[in-house]
Amino acid sequence: MKLEVEYLTQEHLTGFENYKYSCMDTSPISIYITHPFWNKVVQFCPRWVAPNVLTFFGFLFTALNFVLFAIYDYYLYASSDDQPAYPLIPRWVFAAAAFNIFVAHTLDGIDGKQARRTQTSGPLGELFDHGLDSWTTMPIAVCTFSIFGRTDHSVNPLRMYFILWTVFLNFYLSHWEKYNTGVLFLPWSYDASMLGTTVLFLVTYIFGHKLWKIQIYGDISVSELIEILLYVSAIGSSVPVVLWNIYKSYRDKSGKMRSFWEAVRPLVPLVFLFVTATMWIIHSPNNILEQDPRIVFFAIGTIFSNICCRLIVSQMSNTRCEVLPWVLFPLAVACVVSFISPNLDLQSMYLVSALAFIAHIHYGTCVVRQMCRHFRIKTFSIKNHSD
């Protein structure tokens, strides 16, 4: 039985053939710190190393963090001092996490530069890069949660769930913006959050998690301050900037000039995912978010990455975005089942998580293989390279 599916239509492939990369990065951190650093680092990378290898290894370093914290802090209680039944996370795990995030950020920063050095830039590299980035939004945020724990000067899993959605929203809107404007305006928050996360892990390794068990102002703890900053960053700056850039593209007739419905079409799967998942979590008969927050975050993060990848495919190929990808329906069905049979509540989430993981891996693998066949290239090697 043939397991491979051609998810890309001929319209997609033709759109990829005509694709031209357009990006704008005005972040002071990027201009004055990260890009100069990456320009130096990429010089040490052999020219025979394919850019996608750098991208994939960067993703693996982030995935390794998620696995490490799942081993030592599965239920996210380890840094909660009022939960002595859960052993503390070994200090070296925080050091490893800081190293992994720093390396992942660096590899993600030099893959495009390596592509230009080796003259292998193309739509596959960008799709591969941003597709994997969409999946790393979840583990980076969840691993950071382990610094503070679920109780004791921290936020509860439900608030963490909404924090996670703030991260999702920032990432998704930047690609929705490009879907309508044709230009990827890189958010300032990306480099700041990656460097900030690295520092948080490093400081926790040096001083321990108790350093964060303080009140900053009144009853506001460090974790709550970070929560506030994330909301202010997303709602107070990112969203208005995205809407302004889209408005300007219509005003100046420099964007795709889609109708209103076609312009907002990519938001439908995001809203569907948010509403369905949130209804299930809030009204869960057995409070699955309290029982196993990690599996909930993993399932929602994987489904989010899948619909985000489909949006990226559409905006890069200049094709119509899918309204309701099928990966959303197992979540909706499981949500209904959980209310009909409350004893299957948590088991339904495990099943959704497994299905989402398999479906996403299958989608990503098939899309990459199909593009490789179409463009007659290989994912992890460079043809006719020179040392």
Side-chain angles (χ1 to χ4, degrees), residues 14-25:
T14 301
F16 278 121
E17 289 176 357
N18 299 321
Y19 175 73
K20 299 295 183 184
Y21 181 58
S22 181
C23 172
M24 186 174 294
D25 188 356

Side-chain angles (χ1 to χ4, degrees), residues 129-147:
D129 185 5
H130 295 313
L132 290 178
D133 283 346
S134 70
W135 209 359
T136 63
T137 54
M138 178 274 300
I140 292 173
V142 174
C143 289
T144 306
F145 194 25
S146 281
I147 293 176

Side-chain angles (χ1 to χ4, degrees), residues 15 19 21 35 51 55 82-83 87 106 151 211 247 260 296 323 331 333-334 382:
Y19 175 73
Y21 181 58
H35 279 293
T55 305
D82 58 352
Q83 298 289 331
T106 301
T151 59
L211 175 70
Y247 165 75
F260 176 79
V296 174
V323 176
L331 177 70
V333 172
I382 300 174

Side-chain angles (χ1 to χ4, degrees), residues 118-366:
T118 56
Q119 298 182 338
T120 55
S121 299
L124 175 62
E126 182 180 344
L127 176 61
F128 196 71
D129 185 5
H130 295 313
L132 290 178
D133 283 346
S134 70
W135 209 359
T136 63
T137 54
M138 178 274 300
I140 292 173
V142 174
C143 289
T144 306
F145 194 25
S146 281
I147 293 176
F148 306 100
R150 290 168 60 171
T151 59
D152 180 35
H153 295 84
S154 186
V155 298
N156 60 40
L158 182 60
R159 286 168 65 180
M160 182 60 205
Y161 169 78
F162 288 113
I163 290 172
L164 196 58
W165 266 102
T166 304
V167 177
F168 291 164
L169 185 68
N170 271 346
F171 189 93
Y172 197 89
L173 288 184
S174 66
H175 288 281
W176 174 61
E177 180 181 32
K178 187 181 179 185
Y179 181 81
N180 287 293
T181 65
V183 179
L184 180 62
F185 297 90
L186 294 176
W188 286 20
S189 59
Y190 173 67
D191 284 323
S193 62
M194 292 296 282
L195 294 176
T197 302
T198 302
V199 171
L200 275 175
F201 282 127
L202 191 58
V203 171
T204 307
Y205 162 68
I206 296 171
F207 298 102
H209 74 282
K210 290 183 181 294
L211 175 70
W212 311 112
K213 304 298 182 179
I214 58 173
Q215 307 298 115
I216 298 297
Y217 179 78
D219 294 331
I220 299 176
S221 65
V222 176
S223 61
E224 290 172 327
L225 178 61
I226 294 174
E227 178 186 22
I228 293 169
L229 290 175
L230 281 171
Y231 286 134
V232 170
S233 172
I235 300 172
S237 61
S238 295
V239 173
V241 168
V242 166
L243 294 177
W244 172 251
N245 286 332
I246 292 175
Y247 165 75
K248 280 202 307 180
S249 73
Y250 278 90
R251 184 194 65 187
D252 303 336
K253 295 182 170 51
S254 59
K256 301 298 182 179
M257 303 303 293
R258 306 181 193 275
S259 66
F260 176 79
W261 165 242
E262 291 301 323
V264 301
R265 185 182 174 95
L267 300 181
V268 175
L270 186 72
V271 172
F272 185 94
L273 174 60
F274 175 75
V275 171
T276 305
T278 304
M279 284 180 58
W280 184 3
I281 288 168
I282 291 178
H283 300 289
S284 167
N286 296 301
N287 202 348
I288 54 175
L289 190 59
E290 283 291 332
Q291 285 193 60
D292 194 341
R294 188 174 293 274
I295 200 64
V296 174
F297 297 152
F298 178 80
I300 304 306
T302 302
I303 297 172
F304 166 78
S305 179
N306 190 265
I307 64 173
C308 198
C309 285
R310 293 170 188 267
L311 169 60
I312 295 169
V313 165
S314 297
Q315 54 102 334
M316 289 183 64
S317 60
N318 197 28
T319 55
R320 204 178 190 203
C321 183
E322 296 178 68
V323 176
L324 291 175
W326 73 267
V327 73
L328 292 167
F329 292 105
L331 177 70
V333 172
C335 178
V336 174
V337 169
S338 72
F339 289 102
I340 297 174
S341 302
N343 59 313
L344 298 177
D345 197 19
L346 188 58
Q347 289 82 350
S348 296
M349 182 57 78
Y350 287 137
L351 180 60
V352 167
S353 177
L355 288 174
F357 180 75
I358 294 169
H360 192 40
I361 292 291
H362 186 261
Y363 176 81
T365 303
C366 289

